[in-house]
Amino acid sequence: MIQLLVGLGNPGPEHALDRHNAGFWFIDQVATAVGVSLKPERGFFGDVARLRLHGHELWLLQPSTYMNRSGQSVGAFARFYKIAPENILVAHDELDLPPGQAKLKLGGGHAGHNGLRDLIAHLGTPNFWRLRLGIGHPGDRAAVVGFVLGKPPQSELKLIEQAMEQSQAVLPQLLKGEFEAAMMQLHRGNRAGGQAAKAGA
């Protein structure tokens, strides 16, 4: 079951609205929903909150390192609390999914995502859960850096927020270790959301 929920992003107000901070946005949404605040923990190089959700204990973590050093924070936290990689869910921005879609996945490569790359290096395995929050793709590989470090238009932000709400709705299953049920519910919600977006276009 999931014991640690990590959001990836870059610290500082200058990055708060970047697409690359979608993982941070998700953690903020969860924290707001349950009424907790994240507090800086120097030993873990990040901001941390502890809560009970649906009868289970869950930690929230936002690394305060920059994206490409996210593993320093997550690795330190996981080692201290003896949390296995397969009990960690990492929320991150995903170029290969459109805004409004979110998918769960266990393991895999980093696909060029520097936060995932560093996590794999520090945890010593790619076998942690990922919540892939779609932000879309600029269409040109050379434009990716500026795109992820840019602010999405309001229409896309609304879709990303809806996908995060759907993701938050499957947390009860994830906390119980019911991963197949969580994936089915989330991916079914993606299809419904995509159809609604097309109807409104």
Side-chain angles (χ1 to χ4, degrees), residues 1-130:
M1 60 186 69
I2 296 301
Q3 297 172 268
L4 172 60
L5 183 52
V6 178
L8 298 187
N10 285 311
E14 70 274 23
H15 294 296
L17 301 178
D18 294 355
R19 290 179 177 90
H20 219 19
N21 275 36
F24 274 16
W25 301 346
F26 182 67
I27 296 294
D28 288 338
Q29 191 185 84
V30 173
T32 298
V34 297
V36 299
S37 298
L38 284 84
K39 302 284 195 310
E41 290 283 354
R42 188 181 299 177
F44 300 130
F45 313 99
D47 296 341
V48 176
R50 182 182 186 180
L51 57 121
R52 284 196 70 80
L53 191 61
H54 308 291
H56 296 271
E57 185 176 88
L58 178 67
W59 291 95
L60 305 180
L61 173 63
Q62 289 177 331
S64 56
T65 58
Y66 280 89
M67 179 70 83
N68 61 1
R69 295 177 59 206
S70 301
Q72 181 183 13
S73 172
V74 179
F77 195 97
R79 285 190 298 273
F80 185 85
Y81 286 106
K82 297 179 171 58
I83 299 174
E86 58 268 24
N87 299 130
I88 300 172
L89 174 62
V90 178
H92 66 88
D93 58 305
E94 177 58 68
L95 286 161
D96 292 335
L97 295 175
Q101 282 198 15
K103 290 192 176 181
L104 283 163
K105 177 183 178 183
L106 175 63
H110 55 71
H113 193 292
N114 288 330
L116 294 177
R117 189 197 309 269
D118 200 57
L119 273 171
I120 292 168
H122 279 266
L123 294 175
T125 177
N127 292 326
F128 50 88
W129 284 90
R130 298 104 184 273

Side-chain angles (χ1 to χ4, degrees), residues 104-180:
L104 283 163
K105 177 183 178 183
L106 175 63
H110 55 71
H113 193 292
N114 288 330
L116 294 177
R117 189 197 309 269
D118 200 57
L119 273 171
I120 292 168
H122 279 266
L123 294 175
T125 177
N127 292 326
F128 50 88
W129 284 90
R130 298 104 184 273
L131 173 61
R132 304 162 63 215
L133 299 167
I135 61 168
H137 196 288
D140 181 354
R141 191 171 179 181
V144 163
V145 172
F147 181 79
V148 299
L149 296 179
K151 176 183 175 182
Q154 192 61 36
S155 58
E156 290 182 9
L157 181 60
K158 185 176 179 182
L159 291 171
I160 294 168
E161 288 173 344
Q162 288 171 354
M164 291 193 299
E165 288 166 8
Q166 292 169 357
S167 302
Q168 196 177 152
V170 304
L171 281 178
Q173 288 101 313
L174 294 172
L175 291 171
K176 290 188 242 177
E178 298 172 355
F179 296 106
E180 289 295 329

